[in-house]
Amino acid sequence: ALQDTLSNLFSGFQIILTRQVVTGDYIQLETGQEGYVQDVQWRNTTIKSRLDDAETVIPNRKLADNVVTNYSMPRNPMWVKLEVGVHYESDLERVEEITLDVARQVANEVEGAAEDTEPVIRYRSFGDSAVTFVTRVKVEEFDRQFLVKHEFIKRLHRRFEEEGITIPFPIRTLDVPDAFRVRQEEAADGV
């Protein structure tokens, strides 16, 4: 009868002593639960959801047995990735210049962005309908990334529109053999 209690107690010792999860950290469990750690006690840990303020009490045994991603470790400032694609006919040097300009503006003007770190852009691949790249902007803590992403997307979209840079819709080109096309036309004509 004491097995669950002792298991939670020993797991609580491990969590508290290793300090891998502490009050104020933003964590995500492999089960999908995520939030800010409100309290770490001997038997359980309480996390508060960022979206709906709901508190979840997790027995320490389950926390210790889960894969936990701690977004607050090893340090709070973190890089946010923002993926974008531009049309193949775009001048990539100009795209890079504009994107970095917008990222710098966001870093300097939006609350929660880390002003002291230069944003980074790296082209990633030749996608199906676009040349894709990732822009990285540093934020002070995990929760600040959402407003930074929001502002970056709005500002970059507006700036690309002003500059005539196209973010293409996904397009697939089908190469239909001539023999098949002729048969389809004959069938349509009733031959």
Side-chain angles (χ1 to χ4, degrees), residues 80-85 98-99 102-103 105-107 110 133 135 137 145-161 167:
V80 175
K81 292 189 324 185
L82 303 131
E83 297 182 30
V84 184
I98 292 168
T99 303
V102 170
Q105 288 173 10
V106 168
V110 176
F133 62 92
T135 304
V137 178
Q145 71 176 306
F146 304 105
L147 181 58
V148 169
K149 285 180 181 180
H150 174 82
E151 281 299 317
F152 178 79
I153 290 168
K154 281 189 341 185
R155 293 179 187 200
L156 187 64
H157 183 265
R158 183 176 349 130
R159 184 74 182 277
F160 276 3
E161 195 172 278
I167 300 172

Side-chain angles (χ1 to χ4, degrees), residues 1 5 9 53 68 77 81 94 108 111 126 135 159 172-173 181:
T5 301
L9 188 64
D53 284 341
V68 178
K81 292 189 324 185
R94 184 78 178 128
N108 291 325
E111 185 179 344
F126 292 107
T135 304
R159 184 74 182 277
R172 290 278 164 141
T173 303
R181 195 172 307 134

Side-chain angles (χ1 to χ4, degrees), residues 84-87 90 129-130 156-157 160 165-169:
V84 184
V86 293
H87 195 278
S90 301
S129 58
L156 187 64
H157 183 265
F160 276 3
I165 296 172
T166 305
I167 300 172
F169 295 104

Side-chain angles (χ1 to χ4, degrees), residues 108-148:
N108 291 325
E109 297 171 9
V110 176
E111 185 179 344
E115 296 178 39
D116 61 338
T117 307
E118 181 71 13
V120 177
I121 177 176
R122 294 291 181 257
Y123 285 101
R124 190 169 216 173
S125 70
F126 292 107
D128 288 339
S129 58
V131 176
T132 62
F133 62 92
V134 173
T135 304
R136 294 180 190 269
V137 178
K138 204 167 204 179
V139 295
E140 294 170 353
E141 58 187 66
F142 179 82
D143 202 27
R144 301 299 187 162
Q145 71 176 306
F146 304 105
L147 181 58
V148 169

